[in-house]
């Protein structure tokens, strides 16, 4: 099959699995389709981001807001996730709301919530432009509804969605020029690990897990004595087993390049990339 035919099939696969319109598929200067564009530091950020977003109200991430499931529910507003040379794009109908959930605040003077070091770069008529100061990584939240309105309406919406940050017990760290000491103390969340490229690639391919498979999994860091992160979801009757998710990530048209999946049972297996791995597990439902 010719390279042109392969690219045509991959464009269709990006539309089917990743919800990226064919005209917007990322491509190289020569016109070849490319799904992953992240530099090493961008990977560091994307690996942290997917670990935060792949959480639930029952199993909240350590950086979750203590009284509202801000990051755990964010994926329900996503329309597409696109990796580009300039950073990660998340397409949504509620860009300002997602930004208000991701940008860092301190709650009750002690609890840090949101992505440490994430700052507002600016607003356009349809984008909330963010930067992660420790890594220099970029995240643009693209609002499909606001495109027809204008920058003034976007700013008004942003002010409305961040109004809850004005409560007396909340401090807006995202307005600070530099990374604060409390944020820097969380650097283990974005420090580079063997599995960083694998988790970063998972971020780019999260949409079919959330939407095609209708899974809302938890991505858990290794417990003491364990080597790999674990991606867990409940094995309800209408949910896929681990081997289907492993096949999507390792053998489908949108597979993670170089990855391989080794099934242990239908319920669990190891997604591997180079010397790193991610354990996929469909947990018996209800838990035994």
């Amino acid at each position: 099959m010719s390279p042109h035919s392969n690219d045509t099939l991959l464009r269709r696969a990006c539309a089917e699995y990743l919800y990226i319109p064919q005209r917007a598929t990322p491509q190289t200067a020569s016109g070849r389709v490319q799904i992953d564009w992240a530099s090493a530091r961008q990977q560091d950020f994307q690996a942290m981001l997917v670990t935060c977003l792949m959480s639930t109200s029952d199993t909240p991430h350590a950086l979750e807001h203590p009284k509202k499931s801000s990051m755990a529910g964010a994926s329900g507003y996503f329309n597409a996730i696109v990796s580009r040379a300039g950073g990660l794009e998340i397409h949504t109908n509620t860009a300002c709301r997602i930004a208000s959930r991701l940008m860092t605040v301190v709650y009750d003077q002690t609890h840090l919530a949101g992505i440490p070091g994430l700052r507002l770069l600016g607003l356009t008529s349809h984008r909330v432009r963010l930067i992660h100061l420790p890594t220099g990584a970029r995240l643009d939240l693209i609002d499909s509804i606001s495109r027809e309105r204008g920058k003034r309406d976007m700013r008004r919406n942003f002010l409305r969605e961040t109004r809850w940050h004005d409560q007396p017990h909340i401090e807006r760290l995202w307005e600070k020029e530099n990374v604060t000491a409390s944020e820097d103390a969380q650097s283990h969340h974005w420090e580079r690990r063997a599995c960083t490229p694998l988790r970063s690639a998972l971020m780019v391919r999260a949409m079919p897990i959330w939407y095609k498979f209708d899974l809302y999994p938890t991505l858990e860091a290794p417990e003491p004595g364990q080597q790999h992160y674990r991606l867990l979801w409940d094995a309800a009757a209408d949910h896929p087993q681990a081997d289907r998710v492993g096949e999507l990530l390792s053998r489908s048209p949108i597979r993670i390049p170089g990855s391989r999946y080794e099934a242990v049972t239908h319920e669990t297996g190891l997604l591997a990339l180079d010397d790193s791995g991610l354990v996929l597990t469909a947990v018996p439902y209800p838990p035994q």
Side-chain angles (χ1 to χ4, degrees):
M1 186 175 292
S2 69
H4 175 74
S5 298
N6 280 332
D7 277 354
T8 299
L9 292 175
L10 188 50
R11 287 179 192 278
R12 292 173 181 169
C14 287
E16 178 184 354
Y17 292 98
L18 304 179
Y19 305 92
I20 304 172
Q22 291 193 39
R23 66 183 184 278
T25 307
Q27 61 184 36
T28 65
S30 62
R32 299 301 304 274
V33 175
Q34 183 171 313
I35 297 176
D36 298 280
W37 289 79
S39 64
R41 297 317 311 267
Q42 183 76 30
Q43 286 180 348
D44 296 342
F45 169 72
Q46 290 178 187
M48 172 179 61
L49 181 62
V50 73
T51 308
C52 291
L53 295 178
M54 285 194 171
S55 59
T56 67
S57 57
D58 293 330
T59 55
H61 191 275
L63 297 173
E64 183 64 276
H65 190 283
K67 294 189 176 181
K68 57 192 297 185
S69 297
S70 294
M71 293 189 295
S75 62
Y77 297 95
F78 296 171
N79 297 328
I81 298 170
V82 188
S83 174
R84 298 194 186 278
L88 190 69
E89 295 179 350
I90 294 180
H91 295 249
T92 173
N93 294 338
T94 55
C96 295
R97 180 170 301 172
I98 299 302
S100 78
R101 297 180 176 201
L102 296 183
M103 295 187 305
T104 329
V105 299
V106 170
Y107 183 91
D108 283 345
Q109 299 182 331
T110 58
H111 187 99
L112 191 148
I115 305 295
L118 195 63
R119 298 293 189 266
L120 178 67
L121 267 182
L123 303 171
T124 72
S125 61
H126 60 285
R127 288 178 184 250
V128 180
R129 302 171 61 242
L130 303 168
I131 186 170
H132 184 241
L133 292 182
T135 61
R138 286 288 309 276
L139 173 64
D140 278 17
L141 304 174
I142 302 177
D143 199 308
S144 57
I145 290 181
S146 68
R147 186 179 295 274
E148 303 269 334
R149 298 175 185 172
K151 187 174 180 179
R152 180 177 297 179
D153 290 325
M154 190 71 162
R155 181 167 295 280
R156 186 180 298 116
N157 190 23
F158 180 83
L159 292 174
R160 180 171 60 250
E161 291 290 353
T162 55
R163 192 172 297 155
W164 64 276
H165 294 178
D166 295 328
Q167 298 175 25
H169 55 276
I170 291 180
E171 179 185 4
R172 299 180 174 212
L173 293 191
W174 57 268
E175 291 186 332
K176 304 291 186 182
E177 183 177 353
N178 299 310
V179 178
T180 66
S182 61
E183 291 175 298
D184 193 54
Q186 302 296 325
S187 63
H188 57 281
H189 289 294
W190 64 81
E191 72 178 1
R192 192 157 191 88
R193 303 172 185 265
C195 67
T196 292
L198 186 58
R199 285 186 292 140
S200 174
L202 179 66
M203 180 73 246
V204 180
R205 293 159 179 82
M207 287 297 289
I209 294 175
W210 284 321
Y211 284 78
K212 283 214 172 286
F213 290 157
D214 195 27
L215 299 179
Y216 290 88
T218 301
L219 184 54
E220 294 185 347
E223 296 179 353
Q226 294 184 341
Q227 181 180 1
H228 304 303
Y229 274 73
R230 299 188 302 162
L231 188 68
L232 309 170
W233 65 91
D234 68 78
D238 57 342
H239 287 171
Q241 298 290 350
D243 50 5
R244 281 191 61 198
V245 179
E247 181 177 358
L248 171 81
L249 296 173
S250 66
R251 292 191 287 273
S252 76
I254 62 158
R255 62 186 173 274
I256 299 171
S259 67
R260 59 196 183 278
Y261 181 71
E262 302 168 4
V264 177
T265 66
H266 285 305
E267 292 80 21
T268 190
L270 180 69
L271 178 69
L273 178 66
D274 297 328
D275 295 329
S276 70
L278 174 64
V279 176
L280 310 183
T281 302
V283 180
Y285 182 82
Q288 300 299 315

